[in-house]
Amino acid sequence: LIGDPEIIILDEPTVGLDPIQLVEIRELIRSLRDDHDVILSSHIMGEITAVCDYIIIIAYGRVVAEGTLEELENSRGAERLSVTAKKCETSAETLKEILSGSPSVMSCDVSENGGQLIFKIREWAGSDAREEVFGIFSHLNTPILEMKREGTSLESLFINLTSAPAPSDDADAASEAANQKRKAKKFAVKPSLGSPYLDGEETEEAEETEKNKDKGAPDADTYKPLFSDDGADKSAEEYTRDKNKKGE
């Protein structure tokens, strides 16, 4: 924090702290969000829900869910309502059938535990079936012992998503192929860095090679001057001619 960074990355920042320190650190993290982007990594769901605005869940190196806390808790598309009622004259199946016909109810399951009936009701997203459920049980003289809403908690969502089997090799290969395709598209106009030449060197060398290829084997006049016996600079042809004249 001393350098006033734009992005702050925190990994399990509250591990080992006592309750008072925990509260202080959470307040500090919340105060940083106004001037910094804070990325917090943690397996403690209470810590995430206390300080994070946006949540990303990763399993096996892949993002399996992301969104605000409310979006993630409602990601299953329905709320759950648990109703415990006293077993009376109306049968469990009859109650289940009547509840399933309620406009706010998506589905209903029932089980028996001693003298009690336990109903697990799934409501349509955005619906509240509690008033309708109460009316139905009251009309059928079936006392409700307990009624509570069981939304999808972040902890249960995390467990469900991260406890799934690891992706298959085929899925990994498909994912890698898709990643490579995205990278290729992203860097399609990026200049190649494979050439060992500086700018212009490759062209100059190619032109020089082409010239030498056209020349073929060099003749005598193309050689550099050699030193004759008397120290004068002569071409190879002159040097050979003079030696022939001398009979050497």
Side-chain angles (χ1 to χ4, degrees), residues 56-71:
I56 299 175
I57 299 178
I58 299 175
Y60 303 105
R62 298 179 179 179
V63 174
V64 293
E66 62 179 298
T68 64
L69 177 61
E70 182 179 3
E71 289 171 343

Side-chain angles (χ1 to χ4, degrees), residues 11 50 63 70-71 77 82 85 98 107 137 142 158 177 197 205-206 242:
D11 184 19
V63 174
E70 182 179 3
E71 289 171 343
S82 176
I98 295 173
S107 64
F137 279 86
T142 304
F158 178 85
Y197 298 97
E205 181 165 316
D242 290 346

Side-chain angles (χ1 to χ4, degrees), residues 2-22:
I2 293 176
D4 192 28
E6 180 179 350
I7 299 174
I8 301 173
I9 303 176
L10 305 175
D11 184 19
E12 304 280 8
T14 60
V15 170
L17 301 182
D18 63 43
I20 296 177
Q21 294 171 332
L22 179 63

Side-chain angles (χ1 to χ4, degrees), residues 69-118:
L69 177 61
E70 182 179 3
E71 289 171 343
L72 290 178
E73 288 181 340
N74 295 331
S75 60
R76 298 294 177 174
E79 295 288 341
R80 289 176 295 180
L81 191 64
S82 176
V83 179
T84 302
K86 185 177 180 180
K87 188 175 180 180
C88 294
E89 296 179 1
T90 307
S91 68
E93 288 302 319
T94 300
L95 286 168
K96 176 183 176 180
E97 183 178 353
I98 295 173
L99 288 170
S100 299
S102 173
S104 300
V105 176
M106 175 188 292
S107 64
C108 178
D109 295 317
V110 62
S111 60
E112 295 188 26
N113 183 12
Q116 297 180 349
L117 299 176
I118 302 173

Side-chain angles (χ1 to χ4, degrees), residues 219-226 234-245:
D219 53 31
D221 288 333
T222 62
Y223 284 106
K224 292 182 179 179
L226 302 175
K234 298 181 178 181
S235 69
E237 185 178 2
E238 293 174 340
Y239 180 76
T240 304
R241 189 185 310 117
D242 290 346
K243 292 179 71 67
N244 290 337
K245 287 181 179 180

